[in-house]
Amino acid sequence: MTDRAKGRLVYSTGVGRICRGCGWPEADCKCSQSAATESIPNRIVAKLRMEKKGRGGKTVTVVDNLPNNTAFLKDLCQDLKRACGTGGAIQVGAIELQGDLRDRVRARLVDKGFVVKG
């Protein structure tokens, strides 16, 4: 919990990461909700990468540089998870998929009309 009136962190045991802008937990961030309705451009350039750091050696495929539109990210994440047969999650402007799936994800994004780098 935070003392929002004074803008400082008060004792907390299980909140997790705190947003620096509004002081709420990142999962319930109030300042990101205004950006969650960003318009979707005609030409989307997605950046594709693989990460292992900070995940206990597990490999994750990250599709980054996407518009921060909640409905768009949710639909795209569901489509990519079904196409690859794996789990995944939505981050702010990015999608994380479990495993090294760069080839399958690249093919799926190109079929959808995205420009893929990486």
Side-chain angles (χ1 to χ4, degrees):
M1 300 295 285
T2 59
D3 186 0
R4 290 179 184 84
K6 296 178 183 173
R8 62 185 178 90
L9 182 64
V10 180
Y11 179 76
S12 160
T13 57
V15 178
R17 294 184 178 181
I18 302 293
C19 176
R20 294 180 187 200
C22 62
W24 285 82
E26 282 189 357
D28 299 327
C29 179
K30 302 300 179 194
C31 59
S32 67
Q33 290 177 354
S34 61
T37 59
E38 184 178 312
S39 64
I40 301 169
N42 293 334
R43 182 174 178 253
I44 299 174
V45 179
K47 293 183 180 176
L48 190 61
R49 68 178 183 269
M50 182 189 72
E51 292 181 356
K52 288 169 83 173
K53 189 172 184 179
R55 294 182 170 86
K58 304 287 185 186
T59 305
V60 174
T61 302
V62 179
V63 183
D64 198 11
N65 202 28
L66 297 172
N68 192 15
N69 186 312
T70 307
F72 170 77
L73 288 175
K74 188 175 181 180
D75 291 340
L76 182 61
C77 184
Q78 286 295 321
D79 184 43
L80 291 175
K81 289 192 305 186
R82 282 191 193 110
C84 297
T86 187
I90 300 171
Q91 302 297 326
V92 178
I95 296 174
E96 294 181 351
L97 299 170
Q98 297 171 357
D100 184 8
L101 305 165
R102 289 176 288 180
D103 295 334
R104 288 189 225 168
V105 171
R106 181 179 290 113
R108 186 68 178 171
L109 291 175
V110 169
D111 289 343
K112 291 178 96 30
F114 294 1
V115 177
V116 181
K117 292 186 176 182

